[in-house]
Each structure stands twice: as C-alpha cells, then as structure tokens.
Amino acid sequence: MWSLILLLAGGLSGCSSNAKTEEAAGGKSAPKYKILATTLMIADAAARIAGEDVQVEWLMGPGVDPHLYQPTAKDRIKLQSADVILYQGLHLEGKMVDTFESIAKQGRTAVAVSRDIPDSELLSWEGGLHDPHVWHDPKLWKQCVQTMLDTLIAQDPESASAYRERAAAYLAELDELDAFCKQRVAEIPPEQRWLITSHDAFHYYGRAYGFQVVGIQGISTESEAGLKAITDAVDLIKTHKIGAIFPETSVPQAAINRVAQDSGAQLGPELYSDALGGVGSGADTYVGMIQANTNSVVDGLKTPSEK
C-alpha cells in the first residue's frame, strides 16, 4: 500500500516508486515486470499483492472519470510496454474496450478484474450490460482481488507463495472493511437509508448495506441529467424528508446542486465514486475510499438527535 502512496506523492507520473528509489539508491535490480492498471483502485490492490519487486503504473488518477476516458499518446506507450494490463471491465472503460481486445488478440496479458464475478451477483444495466461499479461492495471487490492474484501467479509462478500471502492479508482487511461499513450504517434507521448521488455508481453499495440508491445522472456520465430526473429527485427528497444528498469527485455538480437548491436538502461531502482521492484526502487507498464514503454518508444522513 505504501508503494502506491509514494507513487501518488510523486506527482501521479505513473512511474513506479520502487523502480525510482532503487535507481536513486544506485544499484538494485530492475523490477521483475510491469503492471499497468486503468484505475487507482486496481493499482492499489495490484501493488498490495505484487510487492516491491514489481512496477505498478496506472492510467487514471484521482478524480478522473473512466466512463469518458480516452487514452493519450503517453498512455499508448504505457500500454505497449506493460507486461500485464489490469482493467475493470463491464464496459467501465467504455472508450478503451477495443484497445484491450486488440492487446488480448496479440497474445499479451490483458485481464478484466471483474471477469470471474458470476452474472447472478451483477446488477443489470440497459442494453443487456451490467453495472460496472462492483468495487463499492467489498465482497465483490474480493473476487476482483482473487482474479488479480491468479493473473500475477500466472505471470510469475515462482513468486506464487509470496503473492498468496500478501493477498490473504489484504483480503482480511477487506473483511474488516465490510464489518466497519455494516457497523456504521447500523447507526441510521432503515427508513432513512436513502442515498442520492450525482450518478448511479452506488447500487452495489446500496445492496450490500441496505440503502435505496438514486443516481440523478444515470449509470454513465456520458449524458447529462434531464429535467425529469431532477424533478423526480426533488419530489423524492421532499416525500421522504431526506436530509442530505451527495456530489461526487469525478462528476460535474450542476445537476445535484440544482436538486439541493430546489429540494432544500443539504449538500453532503463529495463521495469517491469512480476514482480514489489524492494524497492526504484519506481516500488514497481502496480501503480508505470506502471508509471515507461510509463516514460521509452516515454522518450526513443521521438526524441531529442521532449525532
């Protein structure tokens, strides 16, 4: 985890901290191989499993919207030089699907970390697709971590034991995270568990912890929220006396600001939906992101008498 934090602190250059520090120290060996992750959530988990001998880079930094992301010329260089490419899949990186399919056809390793989640555990989306935001349920994220582990073992079988040991420690942290979320959410009466956000990123979170979830903008950020969506959200807030609604760090806030203004609901802290936070945000790791979101939601929705 600390290696990823050093990466972030180094200016989001996408260069591995261990590679640079070893070079500066003058003489340690180059990394065994390079992993390129699309999102920081994946990069964080991959770094935890891979350890210090593997270089982990990523494409999308804090606050970046993966739905709309298009690779730059520098990104294409990274894609060509990486030994292992890890992406979310389920059309999260919608503008890059063809790129990943082309890489796989070349016989290179490009793995969707969500590939092993059974369809029965996925939520439906329009057009026969599935909601890609599975990381908001730590139990589903554990399955993604297992897929990353299997991928790294296939890449470097000699390090399998070390990978499994580090993955086991990380998976135990995810169990603790799930317990933390349940404990905090229990502070809110079930009838107050309404989670209204900028876009539909939190349905897995809602299913895991008992929230009714409404995304003003829909599941993708490609289209803007229409007037009906805004009006419906305002009516819902007034009907259920919902005290707070939540913007997101990677989504424009015009629509949710309008809903807050028209409904009288408080605008809560920004939630981290499609990307981790920057260094010092308390959300610069996956675990920190889920904890920060949970604290923001629970504290925002509790009535004054419950605080």
Side-chain angles (χ1 to χ4, degrees):
M1 178 172 61
W2 64 267
S3 61
L4 184 71
I5 293 173
L6 285 176
L7 272 164
L8 288 164
L12 294 169
S13 64
C15 296
S16 166
S17 61
N18 19 298
K20 285 201 164 189
T21 53
E22 287 176 358
E23 182 180 344
K28 290 192 178 179
S29 60
K32 288 183 178 180
Y33 58 93
K34 296 180 182 179
I35 297 172
L36 179 63
T38 53
T39 70
L40 281 171
M41 291 83 75
I42 297 172
D44 181 42
R48 290 293 303 272
I49 300 168
E52 296 301 309
D53 295 330
V54 177
Q55 181 174 330
V56 179
E57 300 181 335
W58 63 86
L59 297 179
M60 307 173 198
V64 173
D65 180 356
H67 297 281
L68 303 179
Y69 190 83
Q70 298 193 46
T72 66
K74 289 183 179 180
D75 291 341
R76 296 189 185 282
I77 294 173
K78 291 181 184 179
L79 286 163
Q80 288 300 319
S81 65
D83 299 293
V84 175
I85 297 167
L86 300 174
Y87 63 102
Q88 188 61 45
L90 299 174
H91 291 267
L92 178 76
E93 304 95 342
K95 305 292 185 181
M96 299 184 68
V97 172
D98 291 344
T99 299
F100 298 134
E101 290 178 351
S102 175
I103 288 169
K105 287 178 181 177
Q106 296 170 18
R108 298 172 59 210
T109 301
V111 174
V113 302
S114 60
R115 72 178 185 189
D116 297 320
I117 300 175
D119 284 355
S120 60
E121 296 185 41
L122 295 172
L123 295 172
S124 296
W125 186 22
E126 64 266 17
L129 302 177
H130 291 106
D131 183 343
H133 302 91
V134 295
W135 58 88
H136 288 296
D137 181 346
K139 290 183 178 178
L140 293 183
W141 190 240
K142 286 178 65 176
Q143 296 187 50
C144 296
V145 170
Q146 182 63 50
T147 298
M148 294 185 223
L149 171 62
D150 294 342
T151 302
L152 269 58
I153 289 174
Q155 175 70 24
D156 180 17
E158 292 182 358
S159 301
S161 178
Y163 293 156
R164 288 192 181 100
E165 183 177 352
R166 286 191 286 265
Y170 185 50
L171 291 168
E173 286 186 34
L174 298 185
D175 286 333
E176 294 174 1
L177 175 64
D178 182 50
F180 166 84
C181 293
K182 289 176 179 175
Q183 182 178 20
R184 284 245 57 196
V185 171
E187 299 174 29
I188 310 172
E191 65 273 12
Q192 292 174 216
R193 294 180 194 170
W194 285 90
L195 180 54
I196 298 181
T197 61
S198 296
H199 88 299
D200 268 336
F202 290 92
H203 283 285
Y204 289 106
Y205 184 88
R207 183 178 69 178
Y209 303 115
F211 286 91
Q212 298 286 334
V213 177
V214 176
I216 296 168
Q217 199 166 317
I219 202 167
S220 174
T221 56
E222 276 194 278
S223 58
E224 295 183 0
L227 180 59
K228 185 178 186 305
I230 292 173
T231 302
D232 288 348
V234 170
D235 291 343
L236 182 71
I237 291 166
K238 290 181 177 179
T239 298
H240 294 278
K241 298 180 174 58
I242 300 168
I245 60 178
F246 300 89
E248 302 169 31
T249 59
S250 58
V251 181
Q253 297 187 13
I256 199 163
N257 287 341
R258 172 71 181 275
V259 171
Q261 178 182 345
D262 292 353
S263 68
Q266 292 291 321
L267 204 60
E270 289 183 314
L271 302 183
Y272 302 92
S273 54
D274 290 341
L276 299 186
V279 172
S281 66
D284 47 12
T285 65
Y286 170 77
V287 171
M289 175 187 74
I290 299 297
Q291 288 177 333
N293 283 346
T294 298
N295 287 331
S296 292
V297 169
V298 172
D299 292 342
L301 292 178
K302 288 169 70 174
T303 64
S305 64
E306 294 165 343
K307 294 180 180 180

